[in-house]
Amino acid sequence: MSEVLNVEEIFGSKVFTLGKMKERLPRSVYKEVTKIMEQGGELSLAAADVVAKAMKDWAVENGATHFTHWFQPLTGITAEKHDAFVTHPDEEGRMLMEFSGKELIKGEPDASSFPSGGLRATFEARGYTVWDITSPAFLKEDAVGVILCIPTAFCSYTGEALDKKTPLLRSMEAVSQQALRIVRLFGNHEATRVVASVGPEQEYFLIDREKYLQREDLIFSGRTLFGAPAPKGQELEDHYFGAIRERIGSYMKDLNIELWKLGVTAKTQHNEVAPAQHELAPIYETANIAVDHNQLVMETMKKVAGRHGLTCLLHEKPFAGVNGSGKHNNWSLGTDNGVNLLDPGDTPNENIQFLLVLACIMKAVDTHADLLRQSAADVGNDHRLGANEAPPAIISMFLGEQLEDVVKQLVETGEVAHLLEGGKLETGVSTLTDLEKDATDRNRTSPFAFTGNKFEFRMVGSADSIGSPNTTLNAIVAEAFCEAADILEKADNFDQAVHDLIKEYMTKHQRIIFNGNGYSDEWVAEAERRGLPNIKSMVEAASTLTTDKAVKLFEKFGIFTKVELESREEVTYETYSKTINIEALTMIDMAKKQILPAVIRYTRSLADTVLAVKEAGADATVQSELLGEVSAKLAEAKAALIKLEKVEQEASSIAEPKEQAFFYKDEVFSAMAQLRAPVDALEMLVDKKVWPIPTYGDLIFEV
Ligand code: ADP
Ligand code: MG
């Protein structure tokens, strides 16, 4: 028997939870802290000192030597700079570990090297990190030792957000305020705030570390830049939900333990569609904590992989020809007195508040489909959205049969005369219980699907932060709520006004509803007829951030200033160019130093064989033909390599960020594909023994 794991005991053991605060803080300070968590405001410096001391004592008892302000710059990942609790020794040379309230609340990481899109001139590189009191501090333990991590927001000297968290927190306040106005209209006076909740399902690949280390493309870009398909792909669908192999299982077990200790509610695990692909989903929680925790999940996935001789790939498209990875962002809004605004109940037709919320979300998603699309854009996701893999880059909403029918009736007649029911699920087996069926079947191809009491935004990329998608969701819905509340608060006849407004919104925005197959070509054509945007790439999506419509939205609710939006657009271009540049240089390097030399050696041995066979008086046609084929592909690869080198140089000399990013997308990216094609063809021709890097078969079937 293996040791019994006490999950209840280890859960949150590395987190400075409310429970620990309650235990360690004087009552008055504890009360001050929880009040600010719920209602906002600033902690007094005196109280901060007390919290800091308690936090430090707890951390030190658990082996911590350093603390860090843990933040989320625009790189999309997290950043940390460690400071020891060490202080000046006294006259006798004794040193006491200390941590002050000031150090807890504010840090100054002098972070001139983070992307800022020109927000912070390098010569005055002041950046501040500010404690996010609503997200608990935790301990990170690895070879560096134990570090107390304090979740923070990251701002410039002049208060501009330099990170993903600040705007998210602002958007949560905005949507809370506006949603409160809506619930008040329906007589809810007890709720004091409305909380956005998020549960992100995280997909990932695991491959053997030894093999990973043999591929520069995986090391430098996180994805394969070359690689012919293996004889088997995912066509048998035998990996999805398949039995989990021992090596992977032992990884998952370790991963869960690490996450539970960090207070992450790792809940569901399974094999995904592609070979070597897996998924982990936690239980949903408050949006900003979910964002922090998703970062921890990604980080822990990578760290734990190392211990098992594995490497975790979070890239959206590590392997061509099999599914890539995404992140399903489940999102809902609930009042602090327990009402989920997205819960239709058994009779959605009678739930006017729900119908209004739904109408507002339809309006928000239709009006700002471009922004929502942008919020899920990252370099890797360009390989999925609208490219060679679903989901499409077109935003649409799936409501399911029952709700779609409700919307249809409302639009047509203004009334809902009948409700489609789920009925019983009859299995035809007497020993199996008949189940109540959901009124709605699932749709797996919709980018924004209603799933019972939440929306599932499925476009998000696996490697990306979920900060932006949730900021955008909160913002656009806040705007729709605000506009509805503006009208309804003034109405003389509320019942009539709300009825009219629901009908109006649903009629105007019904084009965003699509319940069919979102992966089909027909949908692309149909969406175009409906006038829905189809933004195919990250660089094309970037400018949606700075349209008048977007600036108006984000400024109105204090989520982004125009300057912050411009900086984000610029960072997008820079990130794109840098990423593609790395990929192009990696391809050039691999082709020049590994692949072409190997193929040349192979042609040499083929040529020797041809001569030897001829000399022996036999027919060397097959050998000569193969030599001819390989040489032809080799020439093609060489020409493509020269072309790629040329456009890559041209690209790096372009100074204007937007122009440069588009050049990378249009010229460099296609030159990369042109080099990949003959190289992949060569892989199929050349003796496996001489092929210099592990193949797809080695990578995804032999884990
Ligand atoms: P599904 O099978 O519909 O994908 P799951 O129950 O597996 O649903 O949940 C997927 C994710 O959605 C999980 O992270 C779960 O915690 C989260 N989730 C469930 N209910 C809500 C909700 N009301 N708001 C936000 N996320 C939710
Ligand atoms: Mg799901």
Side-chain angles (χ1 to χ4, degrees):
M1 270 286 281
S2 58
E3 211 181 310
V4 177
L5 190 66
N6 191 336
V7 180
E8 289 179 7
E9 203 162 282
I10 64 169
F11 188 84
S13 58
K14 291 188 173 178
V15 186
F16 196 57
T17 54
L18 267 183
K20 292 193 183 90
M21 283 205 217
K22 195 170 181 182
E23 225 173 80
R24 288 168 179 263
L25 294 177
R27 252 179 78 89
S28 60
V29 176
Y30 177 72
K31 265 182 137 169
E32 199 177 327
V33 169
T34 47
K35 189 168 156 224
I36 292 172
M37 281 178 180
E38 280 160 21
Q39 299 168 18
E42 262 179 59
L43 199 63
S44 65
L45 200 55
D49 274 330
V50 179
V51 178
K53 176 155 190 324
M55 210 185 253
K56 185 263 301 170
D57 287 346
W58 167 75
V60 170
E61 281 163 31
N62 285 281
T65 51
H66 293 69
F67 71 95
T68 182
H69 276 196
W70 186 73
F71 60 104
Q72 305 179 21
L74 298 179
T75 51
I77 52 173
T78 60
E80 53 193 78
K81 181 189 88 174
H82 304 164
D83 278 300
F85 294 118
V86 170
T87 54
H88 257 306
D90 65 14
E91 288 132 31
E92 291 167 34
R94 261 188 322 237
M95 191 280 298
L96 286 177
M97 306 266 266
E98 266 174 26
F99 183 47
S100 70
K102 235 165 104 185
E103 288 172 302
L104 166 64
I105 292 177
K106 197 178 107 186
E108 200 188 325
D110 177 30
S112 50
S113 300
F114 291 106
S116 69
L119 263 187
R120 197 172 18 122
T122 326
F123 57 84
E124 44 145 9
R126 266 177 199 269
Y128 292 109
T129 48
V130 189
W131 181 29
D132 173 11
I133 195 170
T134 58
S135 183
F138 58 91
L139 298 175
K140 223 157 96 169
E141 186 173 359
D142 49 36
V144 192
V146 182
I147 313 287
L148 170 66
C149 297
I150 298 152
T152 55
F154 180 40
C155 299
S156 77
Y157 185 66
T158 42
E160 282 119 354
L162 295 170
D163 68 347
K164 305 250 174 188
K165 172 168 258 188
T166 311
L168 174 71
L169 291 171
R170 294 172 180 164
S171 77
M172 288 168 67
E173 283 189 16
V175 79
S176 175
Q177 278 167 16
Q178 301 308 323
L180 267 185
R181 292 174 67 192
I182 299 291
V183 300
R184 293 272 187 271
L185 285 166
F186 289 89
N188 183 341
H189 296 282
E190 294 77 56
T192 63
R193 63 199 169 115
V194 172
V195 180
S197 291
V198 172
E201 303 164 50
Q202 175 74 49
E203 293 180 337
Y204 62 99
F205 278 84
L206 284 177
I207 59 170
D208 187 87
R209 184 153 182 83
E210 290 292 314
K211 290 176 192 145
Y212 162 86
L213 290 172
Q214 291 170 45
R215 292 203 52 140
E216 274 180 34
D217 48 3
L218 288 175
I219 294 172
F220 295 131
S221 70
R223 73 176 180 107
T224 53
L225 299 166
F226 298 106
K232 182 183 171 190
Q234 61 192 42
E235 58 278 67
L236 294 180
E237 296 174 344
D238 51 351
H239 191 255
Y240 190 55
F241 284 14
I244 296 167
R245 272 160 305 155
E246 290 262 319
R247 187 175 185 194
I248 305 301
S250 117
Y251 165 83
M252 287 179 170
K253 179 180 167 193
D254 261 11
L255 176 63
N256 287 332
I257 293 174
E258 289 300 327
L259 290 174
W260 289 331
K261 286 183 188 166
L262 289 166
V264 178
T265 49
K267 170 97 176 156
T268 309
Q269 63 198 21
H270 61 82
N271 286 347
E272 256 300 328
V273 172
Q277 192 186 28
H278 315 279
E279 180 181 303
L280 179 144
I283 298 174
Y284 66 96
E285 56 195 335
T286 308
N288 65 317
I289 300 176
V291 171
D292 286 359
H293 279 172
N294 183 247
Q295 290 286 357
L296 282 180
V297 166
M298 293 195 284
E299 211 176 294
T300 311
M301 280 179 164
K302 289 188 182 160
K303 190 155 83 183
V304 173
R307 291 187 211 151
H308 292 258
L310 296 165
T311 292
C312 172
L313 301 176
L314 292 172
H315 194 282
E316 285 77 8
K317 193 72 182 176
F319 304 100
V322 295
N323 272 19
S325 298
K327 192 135 57 187
H328 291 178
N329 187 87
N330 294 272
W331 171 92
S332 70
L333 292 172
T335 66
D336 59 349
N337 68 341
V339 181
N340 179 355
L341 269 55
L342 294 181
D343 188 353
D346 291 338
T347 48
N349 49 324
E350 290 161 8
N351 186 342
I352 307 300
Q353 178 179 304
F354 171 76
L355 290 176
L356 177 63
V357 167
L358 179 64
C360 286
I361 296 178
M362 283 172 63
K363 178 181 178 211
V365 174
D366 187 28
T367 310
H368 297 294
D370 57 340
L371 280 178
L372 211 47
R373 159 68 180 95
Q374 191 285 326
S375 77
D378 76 355
V379 189
N381 229 5
D382 273 9
H383 297 278
R384 299 172 66 236
L385 307 180
N388 40 5
E389 189 186 324
I394 306 160
I395 295 276
S396 65
M397 273 169 81
F398 168 83
L399 295 183
E401 276 164 56
Q402 189 187 55
L403 276 185
E404 193 193 14
D405 183 59
V406 168
V407 171
K408 192 161 156 254
Q409 292 182 57
L410 275 169
V411 169
E412 280 168 8
T413 66
E415 305 299 330
V416 191
H418 54 86
L419 190 65
L420 297 180
E421 299 284 350
K424 283 238 187 294
L425 176 82
E426 284 164 28
T427 56
V429 179
S430 63
T431 50
L432 292 179
T433 323
D434 283 344
L435 298 174
E436 291 289 339
K437 259 202 316 202
D438 290 314
T440 294
D441 198 4
R442 289 201 171 251
N443 173 311
R444 301 251 169 233
T445 62
S446 173
F448 198 75
F450 185 71
T451 46
N453 61 1
K454 62 186 191 284
F455 274 100
E456 188 168 332
F457 184 29
R458 302 206 181 107
M459 250 186 198
V460 185
S462 49
D464 209 3
S465 158
I466 52 169
S468 303
N470 290 299
T471 303
T472 301
L473 262 173
N474 293 339
I476 65 177
V477 172
E479 184 189 57
F481 283 166
C482 176
E483 286 171 13
D486 284 347
I487 294 168
L488 296 175
E489 283 165 0
K490 286 200 280 276
D492 297 327
N493 181 342
F494 176 73
D495 290 348
Q496 187 60 44
V498 75
H499 172 274
D500 292 350
L501 199 64
I502 292 171
K503 182 165 186 229
E504 182 197 323
Y505 282 2
M506 287 187 172
T507 309
K508 250 196 210 155
H509 300 287
Q510 57 181 324
R511 66 171 186 168
I512 198 70
I513 308 288
F514 179 64
N515 282 350
N517 180 3
Y519 293 2
S520 68
D521 292 338
E522 293 79 56
W523 168 232
V524 177
E526 166 66 17
E528 196 178 335
R529 270 194 297 280
R530 294 190 191 182
L532 300 177
N534 184 359
I535 307 172
K536 294 226 171 76
S537 67
M538 172 179 176
V539 289
E540 285 159 290
S543 57
T544 63
L545 286 171
T546 49
T547 60
D548 291 344
K549 173 172 78 82
V551 173
K552 188 169 151 259
L553 162 75
F554 287 121
E555 288 206 325
K556 178 168 182 183
F557 296 100
I559 296 167
F560 287 117
T561 62
K562 182 156 189 248
V563 174
E564 286 172 335
L565 289 165
E566 284 165 353
S567 81
R568 273 156 178 79
E569 181 181 345
E570 191 167 320
V571 168
T572 305
Y573 297 134
E574 284 170 3
T575 307
Y576 186 84
S577 296
K578 285 177 188 163
T579 308
I580 303 297
N581 188 46
I582 292 169
E583 291 189 350
L585 292 178
T586 305
M587 279 189 105
I588 291 169
D589 206 60
M590 288 173 78
K592 259 191 176 164
K593 296 186 191 155
Q594 289 186 292
I595 296 168
L596 297 195
V599 176
I600 289 168
R601 280 196 301 276
Y602 182 60
T603 53
R604 165 82 196 263
S605 83
L606 271 179
D608 287 349
T609 311
V610 171
L611 288 179
V613 171
K614 277 189 180 158
E615 216 165 278
D619 178 9
T621 319
V622 174
Q623 292 84 340
S624 312
E625 271 176 18
L626 184 55
L627 178 58
E629 277 176 65
V630 173
S631 300
K633 286 290 169 202
L634 184 61
E636 212 183 294
K638 183 71 209 303
L641 174 63
I642 292 170
K643 167 88 190 298
L644 179 59
E645 285 185 295
K646 189 174 150 281
V647 291
E648 189 281 321
Q649 279 194 353
E650 214 177 312
S652 22
S653 68
I654 301 172
E656 210 279 312
K658 182 171 180 177
E659 187 194 333
Q660 186 184 41
F662 273 88
F663 188 89
Y664 270 106
K665 175 176 86 70
D666 296 329
E667 304 298 329
V668 180
F669 198 71
S670 58
M672 286 164 60
Q674 280 165 28
L675 173 57
R676 177 171 184 153
V679 169
D680 288 359
L682 281 168
E683 190 189 323
M684 302 296 282
L685 292 171
V686 169
D687 185 347
K688 184 164 192 311
K689 284 202 202 82
V690 304
W691 197 250
I693 51 177
T695 64
Y696 271 26
D698 302 331
L699 289 169
I700 56 178
F701 285 98
E702 294 177 21
V703 193

